[in-house]
Amino acid sequence: MINMQQIYQQAKNDVTCTFMTGMGYECVITKGCKIVRDNKSGEVQILNIMSGAYYANLNSEQLEVFKLFGWKIGVNVLNLYNFRLKLDIIEQKIKDEMTGRGSQKQLSLLKAKREEILKKYSQINYKLNNIKAYGNYKNNNYNEEGDY
């Protein structure tokens, strides 16, 4: 199991991430995920920045993935979770549009957005499934909704 300091160090060393410093903290941001380290206490916190109006703490299952597999796999799993939420919202909007005014232009836009997200979701899912350790974890811990 990886501790939070090690995860922060992995994030800091990841060249695909953006590193920032602020008043009393350092953080690394990438693909909807932010990891923050308080300079005074050394406390590390991982946040989901795609969760809505403001940054949200990870749930215990998401945090477990980071601790078991590290920064890169954790970010990808968090992206899958965020894409699934977006797909659910788009599906509901498509249903509402079909039962409501039925604008073909709006339906086309929603379907195009759904296809774009599905493509990204599939790419990340394929990449993760090719990692043997993660595939074993996923098969043993997958729930009915497909969340972790």
Side-chain angles (χ1 to χ4, degrees):
M1 180 113 21
I2 304 168
N3 69 39
M4 295 296 280
Q5 294 295 331
Q6 291 169 322
I7 296 169
Y8 179 78
Q9 203 55 45
Q10 289 175 359
K12 195 172 176 182
N13 294 335
D14 187 348
V15 296
T16 64
C17 299
T18 303
F19 176 76
M20 296 187 295
T21 59
M23 300 285 286
Y25 72 93
E26 297 177 336
C27 70
V28 178
I29 299 175
T30 190
K31 299 178 185 173
C33 187
K34 179 178 183 178
I35 187 166
V36 181
R37 186 182 70 171
D38 184 272
N39 289 341
K40 202 174 221 179
S41 67
E43 180 185 352
V44 175
Q45 188 177 22
I46 302 174
L47 304 168
N48 182 355
I49 61 176
M50 300 296 286
S51 63
Y54 200 67
Y55 304 162
N57 290 320
L58 303 184
N59 64 37
S60 60
E61 292 85 14
Q62 293 166 339
L63 195 54
E64 180 184 355
V65 170
F66 276 92
K67 288 181 177 181
L68 286 173
F69 300 105
W71 174 250
K72 287 195 180 233
I73 290 178
V75 168
N76 283 315
V77 170
L78 188 60
N79 272 318
L80 289 180
Y81 173 79
N82 289 332
F83 287 146
R84 185 71 245 160
L85 289 178
K86 287 178 183 180
L87 286 170
D88 291 343
I89 292 168
I90 289 172
E91 288 298 328
Q92 186 58 48
K93 286 182 179 181
I94 288 172
K95 287 178 188 175
D96 292 346
E97 194 63 39
M98 292 180 80
T99 59
R101 54 187 185 158
S103 166
Q104 286 297 6
K105 183 177 181 181
Q106 186 66 20
L107 278 171
S108 295
L109 289 172
L110 289 169
K111 288 179 180 180
K113 187 67 175 171
R114 178 179 61 188
E115 287 302 314
E116 178 185 325
I117 292 171
L118 279 171
K119 183 178 178 183
K120 291 177 184 177
Y121 183 94
S122 296
Q123 289 171 341
I124 292 172
N125 202 31
Y126 178 77
K127 186 179 358 176
L128 285 173
N129 285 335
N130 286 327
I131 300 170
K132 187 176 182 179
Y134 178 74
N136 292 339
Y137 171 81
K138 180 181 172 186
N139 291 334
N140 292 331
N141 292 299
Y142 200 81
N143 68 25
E144 291 177 7
E145 290 84 35
D147 297 332
Y148 300 91

